[in-house]
Amino acid sequence: MFKRQALNLLEHPEKAKSWISTFDNVLCDCDGVLWLYDKEIEGSVKVVNRLKQIGKGVYFATNNSTKTRPEFLEKAIRMGFNMKEDEILSTAYTAAQYLKNRNFNKKVYVIGSTGITKELDAVGIKHTGVGPDYLETNLANFLNNKFEQDDEVGAVIVGFDEYFSFPKMTRAASYLSKPNSIFIATNTDERFPMPNFVVPGTGSIVKAIETCAERSAVVMGKPNANMCEPLLVDGKITPERTLMVGDRCNTDILFGNNCGFQTLLVGTGIHNLDDVSCYKKSNDEETHKLIPDAYLPKFGDLLQFLL
Ligand SMILES: [Mg+2]
């Protein structure tokens, strides 16, 4: 309706009200839209629950690989969100499903957390690697005494790993040099939305592994359209009548545009209207895919337009 205009809905309330009827389903990013860590972003519970009340379908698409779907659900319900497990699309879940659908019967080397390994356990796939793995003395000692390759490993999944280390990088790249090994990244987010620090995100780790493995990963998360495939296959959503809400243009908004959805950027996370102004000045068609249709300072601001 406002195709790639980044229309500030607060300045156009009448347009915003009529726009609501142009979508049936909403896909929400979580970190930076609904919550920041364990704290709800003001108004997000009310707006999600109200959207459902007026008959919109709401799905939750998160690139965060550190939690399983039941763990996401528990966190959301604790905050007051009306949410069900089958409304959650997480990258750890999608990665496990990806291997299951390809009848993968070997072991996975995981750079990541129990968010990934629990989803692998749920589909009966063996795994190794999760937890601390640091260089005790030096590289020579590690290579000669600590590094034994597991012949059963046939895939590497890379997600967020706070214990990421030189030994982990060496193991992953070595497994990825095997012919026919599968290389999956949960997502490519560069950093976490935090006010005073730069915390490296999964994308930083993925780039490191891709560089030393000399090959590219299959990415499960946004902006890859893989993320919403289950919803499209089951006919649960119609792309042009679906709204994607996110705080990050190069994942959420690009994902929405890649899938043919309408898009709403909220200013409670990574990107804001200043970033969008830069994209608008670009002559590059790919950069224009980062421009949202609409903008709100926070997701909760949508509530006033939901009659
Ligand atoms: Mg986000």
Side-chain angles (χ1 to χ4, degrees), residues 29-33 193 247-248 252:
D29 173 47
C30 298
D31 292 292
V33 174
D247 67 300
R248 190 190 289 260
D252 304 320

Short mmCIF file of all heavy atoms in Angstrom, two decimals, residues 29-33 193 247-248 252, ligand 1:
data_model
loop_
_atom_site.label_atom_id
_atom_site.label_comp_id
_atom_site.label_asym_id
_atom_site.label_seq_id
_atom_site.Cartn_x
_atom_site.Cartn_y
_atom_site.Cartn_z
N ASP A 29 9.37 -10.11 14.23
CA ASP A 29 10.68 -10.41 14.79
C ASP A 29 10.52 -10.27 16.32
O ASP A 29 9.55 -9.65 16.79
CB ASP A 29 11.69 -9.38 14.25
CG ASP A 29 13.03 -9.52 14.92
OD1 ASP A 29 13.52 -10.66 15.03
OD2 ASP A 29 13.59 -8.49 15.35
N CYS A 30 11.42 -10.83 17.09
CA CYS A 30 11.26 -10.81 18.56
C CYS A 30 12.22 -9.82 19.24
O CYS A 30 11.79 -8.80 19.77
CB CYS A 30 11.43 -12.22 19.12
SG CYS A 30 10.19 -13.37 18.48
N ASP A 31 13.56 -10.11 19.20
CA ASP A 31 14.52 -9.21 19.85
C ASP A 31 14.49 -7.84 19.17
O ASP A 31 14.67 -7.73 17.96
CB ASP A 31 15.96 -9.78 19.72
CG ASP A 31 16.16 -11.05 20.52
OD1 ASP A 31 16.14 -10.96 21.74
OD2 ASP A 31 16.33 -12.12 19.90
N GLY A 32 14.26 -6.81 19.95
CA GLY A 32 14.24 -5.45 19.38
C GLY A 32 12.87 -5.01 18.90
O GLY A 32 12.69 -3.85 18.51
N VAL A 33 11.89 -5.94 18.90
CA VAL A 33 10.51 -5.59 18.52
C VAL A 33 9.56 -5.88 19.69
O VAL A 33 8.81 -5.01 20.13
CB VAL A 33 10.05 -6.39 17.27
CG1 VAL A 33 8.58 -6.11 16.97
CG2 VAL A 33 10.91 -6.04 16.06
N PRO A 193 21.39 -6.15 19.53
CA PRO A 193 20.98 -4.79 19.89
C PRO A 193 21.22 -4.53 21.37
O PRO A 193 20.52 -5.03 22.22
CB PRO A 193 19.48 -4.79 19.57
CG PRO A 193 19.04 -6.22 19.59
CD PRO A 193 20.25 -7.06 19.31
N ASP A 247 13.04 -4.79 13.44
CA ASP A 247 13.85 -3.63 13.84
C ASP A 247 15.12 -3.56 13.02
O ASP A 247 15.91 -2.63 13.20
CB ASP A 247 14.21 -3.73 15.33
CG ASP A 247 15.15 -4.88 15.60
OD1 ASP A 247 14.77 -6.03 15.32
OD2 ASP A 247 16.28 -4.64 16.07
N ARG A 248 15.35 -4.55 12.13
CA ARG A 248 16.62 -4.59 11.41
C ARG A 248 16.31 -4.67 9.91
O ARG A 248 15.65 -5.61 9.46
CB ARG A 248 17.41 -5.81 11.86
CG ARG A 248 18.83 -5.85 11.36
CD ARG A 248 19.45 -7.20 11.65
NE ARG A 248 19.72 -7.44 13.04
CZ ARG A 248 20.94 -7.32 13.59
NH1 ARG A 248 21.96 -6.93 12.88
NH2 ARG A 248 21.11 -7.60 14.86
N ASP A 252 15.13 -8.35 8.71
CA ASP A 252 13.66 -8.37 8.75
C ASP A 252 13.01 -7.74 7.52
O ASP A 252 12.12 -8.33 6.90
CB ASP A 252 13.15 -7.62 9.99
CG ASP A 252 13.73 -8.17 11.27
OD1 ASP A 252 13.85 -9.40 11.37
OD2 ASP A 252 14.08 -7.38 12.16
MG MG B 1 15.47 -7.93 15.95
#
